[in-house]
mmCIF file of all heavy atoms in Angstrom:
data_model
loop_
_atom_site.group_PDB
_atom_site.id
_atom_site.type_symbol
_atom_site.label_atom_id
_atom_site.label_comp_id
_atom_site.label_asym_id
_atom_site.label_seq_id
_atom_site.Cartn_x
_atom_site.Cartn_y
_atom_site.Cartn_z
ATOM 1 N N VAL U 1 -11.043 25.038 13.417
ATOM 2 C CA VAL U 1 -10.463 26.013 14.342
ATOM 3 C C VAL U 1 -9.693 27.040 13.511
ATOM 4 O O VAL U 1 -8.915 26.672 12.629
ATOM 5 C CB VAL U 1 -9.520 25.326 15.341
ATOM 6 C CG1 VAL U 1 -8.882 26.353 16.265
ATOM 7 C CG2 VAL U 1 -10.275 24.273 16.149
ATOM 8 N N PRO U 2 -9.904 28.324 13.722
ATOM 9 C CA PRO U 2 -9.256 29.354 12.906
ATOM 10 C C PRO U 2 -7.731 29.270 12.936
ATOM 11 O O PRO U 2 -7.134 28.895 13.953
ATOM 12 C CB PRO U 2 -9.746 30.662 13.535
ATOM 13 C CG PRO U 2 -11.035 30.303 14.199
ATOM 14 C CD PRO U 2 -10.844 28.903 14.697
ATOM 15 N N ASP U 3 -7.118 29.592 11.822
ATOM 16 C CA ASP U 3 -5.656 29.627 11.733
ATOM 17 C C ASP U 3 -5.089 30.592 12.770
ATOM 18 O O ASP U 3 -5.649 31.663 13.014
ATOM 19 C CB ASP U 3 -5.221 30.079 10.337
ATOM 20 C CG ASP U 3 -5.536 29.040 9.273
ATOM 21 O OD1 ASP U 3 -5.746 27.871 9.646
ATOM 22 O OD2 ASP U 3 -5.592 29.403 8.083
ATOM 23 N N GLY U 4 -3.984 30.205 13.366
ATOM 24 C CA GLY U 4 -3.321 31.050 14.349
ATOM 25 C C GLY U 4 -3.809 30.850 15.758
ATOM 26 O O GLY U 4 -3.238 31.385 16.712
ATOM 27 N N SER U 5 -4.872 30.063 15.924
ATOM 28 C CA SER U 5 -5.412 29.800 17.257
ATOM 29 C C SER U 5 -4.750 28.556 17.831
ATOM 30 O O SER U 5 -4.761 27.493 17.213
ATOM 31 C CB SER U 5 -6.927 29.605 17.172
ATOM 32 O OG SER U 5 -7.508 29.556 18.450
ATOM 33 N N VAL U 6 -4.156 28.681 19.013
ATOM 34 C CA VAL U 6 -3.484 27.553 19.659
ATOM 35 C C VAL U 6 -4.541 26.620 20.244
ATOM 36 O O VAL U 6 -5.424 27.053 20.984
ATOM 37 C CB VAL U 6 -2.537 28.040 20.771
ATOM 38 C CG1 VAL U 6 -1.903 26.858 21.481
ATOM 39 C CG2 VAL U 6 -1.478 28.964 20.194
ATOM 40 N N THR U 7 -4.457 25.352 19.912
ATOM 41 C CA THR U 7 -5.433 24.376 20.384
ATOM 42 C C THR U 7 -4.734 23.105 20.848
ATOM 43 O O THR U 7 -3.939 22.536 20.105
ATOM 44 C CB THR U 7 -6.440 24.019 19.277
ATOM 45 O OG1 THR U 7 -6.974 25.214 18.708
ATOM 46 C CG2 THR U 7 -7.579 23.188 19.842
ATOM 47 N N ASP U 8 -5.030 22.672 22.068
ATOM 48 C CA ASP U 8 -4.529 21.409 22.585
ATOM 49 C C ASP U 8 -5.613 20.340 22.595
ATOM 50 O O ASP U 8 -5.316 19.149 22.711
ATOM 51 C CB ASP U 8 -3.986 21.588 24.007
ATOM 52 C CG ASP U 8 -2.778 22.516 24.047
ATOM 53 O OD1 ASP U 8 -1.805 22.252 23.323
ATOM 54 O OD2 ASP U 8 -2.824 23.518 24.795
ATOM 55 N N GLY U 9 -6.873 20.763 22.499
ATOM 56 C CA GLY U 9 -7.977 19.818 22.439
ATOM 57 C C GLY U 9 -8.050 19.157 21.077
ATOM 58 O O GLY U 9 -7.437 19.610 20.107
ATOM 59 N N VAL U 10 -8.810 18.071 20.994
ATOM 60 C CA VAL U 10 -8.960 17.350 19.736
ATOM 61 C C VAL U 10 -10.443 17.149 19.432
ATOM 62 O O VAL U 10 -11.290 17.165 20.333
ATOM 63 C CB VAL U 10 -8.251 15.981 19.785
ATOM 64 C CG1 VAL U 10 -6.771 16.145 20.055
ATOM 65 C CG2 VAL U 10 -8.885 15.069 20.832
ATOM 66 N N ASP U 11 -10.736 16.963 18.154
ATOM 67 C CA ASP U 11 -12.088 16.647 17.715
ATOM 68 C C ASP U 11 -12.418 15.223 18.159
ATOM 69 O O ASP U 11 -11.749 14.265 17.768
ATOM 70 C CB ASP U 11 -12.150 16.784 16.184
ATOM 71 C CG ASP U 11 -13.485 16.336 15.603
ATOM 72 O OD1 ASP U 11 -14.450 16.149 16.376
ATOM 73 O OD2 ASP U 11 -13.557 16.180 14.363
ATOM 74 N N LEU U 12 -13.443 15.076 18.979
ATOM 75 C CA LEU U 12 -13.784 13.767 19.522
ATOM 76 C C LEU U 12 -14.606 12.905 18.562
ATOM 77 O O LEU U 12 -14.692 11.685 18.745
ATOM 78 C CB LEU U 12 -14.567 13.934 20.827
ATOM 79 C CG LEU U 12 -13.814 14.582 21.996
ATOM 80 C CD1 LEU U 12 -14.741 14.722 23.197
ATOM 81 C CD2 LEU U 12 -12.574 13.783 22.363
ATOM 82 N N LEU U 13 -15.222 13.503 17.542
ATOM 83 C CA LEU U 13 -16.130 12.748 16.690
ATOM 84 C C LEU U 13 -15.490 11.530 16.037
ATOM 85 O O LEU U 13 -16.080 10.445 16.048
ATOM 86 C CB LEU U 13 -16.746 13.665 15.628
ATOM 87 C CG LEU U 13 -17.742 14.710 16.126
ATOM 88 C CD1 LEU U 13 -18.363 15.457 14.947
ATOM 89 C CD2 LEU U 13 -18.843 14.072 16.967
ATOM 90 N N PRO U 14 -14.286 11.632 15.451
ATOM 91 C CA PRO U 14 -13.707 10.436 14.824
ATOM 92 C C PRO U 14 -13.472 9.297 15.818
ATOM 93 O O PRO U 14 -13.545 8.120 15.443
ATOM 94 C CB PRO U 14 -12.371 10.946 14.258
ATOM 95 C CG PRO U 14 -12.550 12.413 14.098
ATOM 96 C CD PRO U 14 -13.441 12.824 15.237
ATOM 97 N N PHE U 15 -13.231 9.629 17.055
ATOM 98 C CA PHE U 15 -12.955 8.598 18.055
ATOM 99 C C PHE U 15 -14.237 7.910 18.512
ATOM 100 O O PHE U 15 -14.289 6.690 18.632
ATOM 101 C CB PHE U 15 -12.215 9.198 19.244
ATOM 102 C CG PHE U 15 -10.877 9.758 18.885
ATOM 103 C CD1 PHE U 15 -10.722 11.105 18.564
ATOM 104 C CD2 PHE U 15 -9.758 8.940 18.829
ATOM 105 C CE1 PHE U 15 -9.488 11.624 18.213
ATOM 106 C CE2 PHE U 15 -8.517 9.445 18.470
ATOM 107 C CZ PHE U 15 -8.384 10.789 18.166
ATOM 108 N N ILE U 16 -15.264 8.697 18.750
ATOM 109 C CA ILE U 16 -16.498 8.095 19.258
ATOM 110 C C ILE U 16 -17.322 7.472 18.140
ATOM 111 O O ILE U 16 -18.234 6.689 18.398
ATOM 112 C CB ILE U 16 -17.337 9.107 20.066
ATOM 113 C CG1 ILE U 16 -17.660 10.356 19.249
ATOM 114 C CG2 ILE U 16 -16.612 9.480 21.335
ATOM 115 C CD1 ILE U 16 -18.390 11.429 20.038
ATOM 116 N N GLU U 17 -16.987 7.810 16.884
ATOM 117 C CA GLU U 17 -17.658 7.176 15.745
ATOM 118 C C GLU U 17 -16.793 6.097 15.093
ATOM 119 O O GLU U 17 -17.151 5.531 14.067
ATOM 120 C CB GLU U 17 -18.034 8.230 14.708
ATOM 121 C CG GLU U 17 -19.096 9.191 15.207
ATOM 122 C CD GLU U 17 -19.565 10.164 14.145
ATOM 123 O OE1 GLU U 17 -18.738 10.608 13.328
ATOM 124 O OE2 GLU U 17 -20.770 10.480 14.140
ATOM 125 N N GLY U 18 -15.625 5.824 15.698
ATOM 126 C CA GLY U 18 -14.774 4.753 15.210
ATOM 127 C C GLY U 18 -14.103 5.025 13.890
ATOM 128 O O GLY U 18 -13.799 4.108 13.129
ATOM 129 N N GLU U 19 -13.833 6.302 13.600
ATOM 130 C CA GLU U 19 -13.253 6.661 12.310
ATOM 131 C C GLU U 19 -11.872 7.290 12.435
ATOM 132 O O GLU U 19 -11.368 7.890 11.492
ATOM 133 C CB GLU U 19 -14.179 7.623 11.571
ATOM 134 C CG GLU U 19 -15.553 7.024 11.262
ATOM 135 C CD GLU U 19 -16.491 8.020 10.623
ATOM 136 O OE1 GLU U 19 -16.071 9.180 10.462
ATOM 137 O OE2 GLU U 19 -17.633 7.639 10.301
ATOM 138 N N SER U 20 -11.249 7.171 13.601
ATOM 139 C CA SER U 20 -9.921 7.748 13.773
ATOM 140 C C SER U 20 -8.876 6.832 13.157
ATOM 141 O O SER U 20 -8.746 5.673 13.559
ATOM 142 C CB SER U 20 -9.611 7.952 15.259
ATOM 143 O OG SER U 20 -8.284 8.390 15.427
ATOM 144 N N PRO U 21 -8.112 7.305 12.160
ATOM 145 C CA PRO U 21 -7.185 6.424 11.452
ATOM 146 C C PRO U 21 -5.853 6.197 12.163
ATOM 147 O O PRO U 21 -5.148 5.251 11.858
ATOM 148 C CB PRO U 21 -6.951 7.183 10.136
ATOM 149 C CG PRO U 21 -7.095 8.630 10.522
ATOM 150 C CD PRO U 21 -8.160 8.650 11.591
ATOM 151 N N ASN U 22 -5.490 7.066 13.096
ATOM 152 C CA ASN U 22 -4.125 7.042 13.616
ATOM 153 C C ASN U 22 -3.980 6.482 15.018
ATOM 154 O O ASN U 22 -2.995 5.824 15.341
ATOM 155 C CB ASN U 22 -3.532 8.458 13.592
ATOM 156 C CG ASN U 22 -3.462 9.013 12.179
ATOM 157 O OD1 ASN U 22 -3.125 8.294 11.246
ATOM 158 N ND2 ASN U 22 -3.803 10.281 12.030
ATOM 159 N N GLN U 23 -4.940 6.740 15.876
ATOM 160 C CA GLN U 23 -4.788 6.301 17.259
ATOM 161 C C GLN U 23 -6.139 5.990 17.865
ATOM 162 O O GLN U 23 -7.167 6.501 17.440
ATOM 163 C CB GLN U 23 -4.061 7.358 18.092
ATOM 164 C CG GLN U 23 -4.768 8.721 18.153
ATOM 165 C CD GLN U 23 -3.941 9.753 18.895
ATOM 166 O OE1 GLN U 23 -2.746 9.839 18.714
ATOM 167 N NE2 GLN U 23 -4.591 10.537 19.741
ATOM 168 N N GLU U 24 -6.103 5.138 18.859
ATOM 169 C CA GLU U 24 -7.342 4.674 19.477
ATOM 170 C C GLU U 24 -7.875 5.667 20.501
ATOM 171 O O GLU U 24 -9.074 5.768 20.716
ATOM 172 C CB GLU U 24 -7.093 3.325 20.146
ATOM 173 C CG GLU U 24 -8.340 2.701 20.749
ATOM 174 C CD GLU U 24 -8.059 1.382 21.430
ATOM 175 O OE1 GLU U 24 -6.903 0.912 21.356
ATOM 176 O OE2 GLU U 24 -8.982 0.830 22.046
ATOM 177 N N TYR U 25 -6.973 6.414 21.139
ATOM 178 C CA TYR U 25 -7.362 7.326 22.205
ATOM 179 C C TYR U 25 -7.224 8.775 21.756
ATOM 180 O O TYR U 25 -6.255 9.119 21.066
ATOM 181 C CB TYR U 25 -6.491 7.101 23.449
ATOM 182 C CG TYR U 25 -6.807 5.829 24.181
ATOM 183 C CD1 TYR U 25 -6.300 4.607 23.729
ATOM 184 C CD2 TYR U 25 -7.603 5.837 25.312
ATOM 185 C CE1 TYR U 25 -6.596 3.427 24.400
ATOM 186 C CE2 TYR U 25 -7.898 4.670 25.987
ATOM 187 C CZ TYR U 25 -7.394 3.470 25.524
ATOM 188 O OH TYR U 25 -7.695 2.305 26.182
ATOM 189 N N PRO U 26 -8.161 9.624 22.151
ATOM 190 C CA PRO U 26 -8.023 11.050 21.827
ATOM 191 C C PRO U 26 -6.743 11.656 22.407
ATOM 192 O O PRO U 26 -6.128 12.521 21.795
ATOM 193 C CB PRO U 26 -9.268 11.678 22.457
ATOM 194 C CG PRO U 26 -10.250 10.563 22.577
ATOM 195 C CD PRO U 26 -9.426 9.336 22.826
ATOM 196 N N HIS U 27 -6.363 11.186 23.607
ATOM 197 C CA HIS U 27 -5.166 11.718 24.269
ATOM 198 C C HIS U 27 -4.349 10.561 24.842
ATOM 199 O O HIS U 27 -4.849 9.769 25.634
ATOM 200 C CB HIS U 27 -5.547 12.673 25.406
ATOM 201 C CG HIS U 27 -6.306 13.874 24.965
ATOM 202 N ND1 HIS U 27 -5.700 15.005 24.472
ATOM 203 C CD2 HIS U 27 -7.648 14.110 24.933
ATOM 204 C CE1 HIS U 27 -6.623 15.891 24.162
ATOM 205 N NE2 HIS U 27 -7.814 15.371 24.427
ATOM 206 N N ASN U 28 -3.097 10.485 24.450
ATOM 207 C CA ASN U 28 -2.200 9.501 25.061
ATOM 208 C C ASN U 28 -1.711 9.977 26.421
ATOM 209 O O ASN U 28 -1.347 9.176 27.279
ATOM 210 C CB ASN U 28 -0.999 9.243 24.148
ATOM 211 C CG ASN U 28 -1.395 8.499 22.888
ATOM 212 O OD1 ASN U 28 -2.264 7.633 22.932
ATOM 213 N ND2 ASN U 28 -0.793 8.845 21.768
ATOM 214 N N VAL U 29 -1.711 11.305 26.595
ATOM 215 C CA VAL U 29 -1.241 11.872 27.856
ATOM 216 C C VAL U 29 -1.981 13.172 28.116
ATOM 217 O O VAL U 29 -2.304 13.915 27.177
ATOM 218 C CB VAL U 29 0.298 12.097 27.825
ATOM 219 C CG1 VAL U 29 0.688 13.042 26.709
ATOM 220 C CG2 VAL U 29 0.818 12.571 29.172
ATOM 221 N N LEU U 30 -2.284 13.434 29.378
ATOM 222 C CA LEU U 30 -2.928 14.676 29.796
ATOM 223 C C LEU U 30 -2.149 15.275 30.958
ATOM 224 O O LEU U 30 -1.550 14.551 31.757
ATOM 225 C CB LEU U 30 -4.382 14.428 30.225
ATOM 226 C CG LEU U 30 -5.392 14.102 29.120
ATOM 227 C CD1 LEU U 30 -6.721 13.673 29.722
ATOM 228 C CD2 LEU U 30 -5.589 15.295 28.189
ATOM 229 N N TYR U 31 -2.185 16.612 31.060
ATOM 230 C CA TYR U 31 -1.420 17.321 32.085
ATOM 231 C C TYR U 31 -2.315 18.320 32.822
ATOM 232 O O TYR U 31 -3.270 18.872 32.261
ATOM 233 C CB TYR U 31 -0.271 18.109 31.448
ATOM 234 C CG TYR U 31 0.662 17.313 30.576
ATOM 235 C CD1 TYR U 31 0.415 17.168 29.214
ATOM 236 C CD2 TYR U 31 1.808 16.718 31.108
ATOM 237 C CE1 TYR U 31 1.279 16.449 28.399
ATOM 238 C CE2 TYR U 31 2.678 16.000 30.301
ATOM 239 C CZ TYR U 31 2.410 15.867 28.948
ATOM 240 O OH TYR U 31 3.267 15.152 28.142
ATOM 241 N N TRP U 32 -1.942 18.563 34.069
ATOM 242 C CA TRP U 32 -2.569 19.616 34.873
ATOM 243 C C TRP U 32 -1.477 20.267 35.710
ATOM 244 O O TRP U 32 -0.584 19.587 36.224
ATOM 245 C CB TRP U 32 -3.621 19.041 35.825
ATOM 246 C CG TRP U 32 -4.759 18.358 35.143
ATOM 247 C CD1 TRP U 32 -5.970 18.894 34.809
ATOM 248 C CD2 TRP U 32 -4.821 16.984 34.727
ATOM 249 N NE1 TRP U 32 -6.770 17.962 34.212
ATOM 250 C CE2 TRP U 32 -6.089 16.774 34.136
ATOM 251 C CE3 TRP U 32 -3.918 15.910 34.784
ATOM 252 C CZ2 TRP U 32 -6.483 15.550 33.617
ATOM 253 C CZ3 TRP U 32 -4.307 14.685 34.253
ATOM 254 C CH2 TRP U 32 -5.568 14.509 33.681
ATOM 255 N N SER U 33 -1.536 21.582 35.889
ATOM 256 C CA SER U 33 -0.492 22.208 36.702
ATOM 257 C C SER U 33 -0.897 23.586 37.185
ATOM 258 O O SER U 33 -1.562 24.348 36.481
ATOM 259 C CB SER U 33 0.806 22.328 35.892
ATOM 260 O OG SER U 33 1.780 23.020 36.638
ATOM 261 N N ARG U 34 -0.439 23.888 38.381
ATOM 262 C CA ARG U 34 -0.464 25.256 38.897
ATOM 263 C C ARG U 34 0.911 25.596 39.470
ATOM 264 O O ARG U 34 1.050 26.216 40.517
ATOM 265 C CB ARG U 34 -1.545 25.442 39.952
ATOM 266 C CG ARG U 34 -1.388 24.559 41.171
ATOM 267 C CD ARG U 34 -2.332 24.932 42.294
ATOM 268 N NE ARG U 34 -2.136 26.277 42.781
ATOM 269 C CZ ARG U 34 -2.709 26.776 43.875
ATOM 270 N NH1 ARG U 34 -3.541 26.027 44.584
ATOM 271 N NH2 ARG U 34 -2.480 28.007 44.265
ATOM 272 N N GLY U 35 1.958 25.158 38.767
ATOM 273 C CA GLY U 35 3.306 25.432 39.231
ATOM 274 C C GLY U 35 3.866 24.283 40.035
ATOM 275 O O GLY U 35 4.303 23.271 39.498
ATOM 276 N N SER U 36 3.836 24.419 41.357
ATOM 277 C CA SER U 36 4.417 23.386 42.219
ATOM 278 C C SER U 36 3.479 22.215 42.454
ATOM 279 O O SER U 36 3.858 21.226 43.076
ATOM 280 C CB SER U 36 4.795 24.001 43.574
ATOM 281 O OG SER U 36 3.640 24.541 44.205
ATOM 282 N N GLN U 37 2.261 22.307 41.952
ATOM 283 C CA GLN U 37 1.298 21.222 42.102
ATOM 284 C C GLN U 37 0.717 20.880 40.738
ATOM 285 O O GLN U 37 0.562 21.749 39.880
ATOM 286 C CB GLN U 37 0.164 21.611 43.058
ATOM 287 C CG GLN U 37 0.606 21.827 44.492
ATOM 288 C CD GLN U 37 -0.564 22.264 45.360
ATOM 289 O OE1 GLN U 37 -1.206 23.260 45.083
ATOM 290 N NE2 GLN U 37 -0.830 21.510 46.405
ATOM 291 N N GLY U 38 0.383 19.619 40.563
ATOM 292 C CA GLY U 38 -0.200 19.226 39.296
ATOM 293 C C GLY U 38 -0.284 17.721 39.156
ATOM 294 O O GLY U 38 -0.198 16.976 40.139
ATOM 295 N N ALA U 39 -0.434 17.268 37.919
ATOM 296 C CA ALA U 39 -0.548 15.839 37.669
ATOM 297 C C ALA U 39 -0.313 15.561 36.194
ATOM 298 O O ALA U 39 -0.435 16.450 35.342
ATOM 299 C CB ALA U 39 -1.928 15.328 38.081
#
């Protein structure tokens, strides 16, 4: 991903190929929002 580009997504390949060294899940937490509604 180019420098300076804000990214919240993660590369899924290490997780689905069993090569992720730090955590088992790509995301420990996910968010959704439109202000007064979300999850």
Side-chain angles (χ1 to χ4, degrees):
V1 178
D3 291 341
S5 189
V6 177
T7 310
D8 296 305
V10 300
D11 174 13
L12 295 178
L13 290 185
F15 297 94
I16 56 185
E17 293 185 323
E19 298 176 358
S20 174
N22 299 320
Q23 60 185 42
E24 184 181 355
Y25 287 80
H27 298 277
N28 291 324
V29 60
L30 288 171
Y31 306 90
W32 298 265
S33 176
R34 61 170 299 190
S36 60
Q37 294 178 303

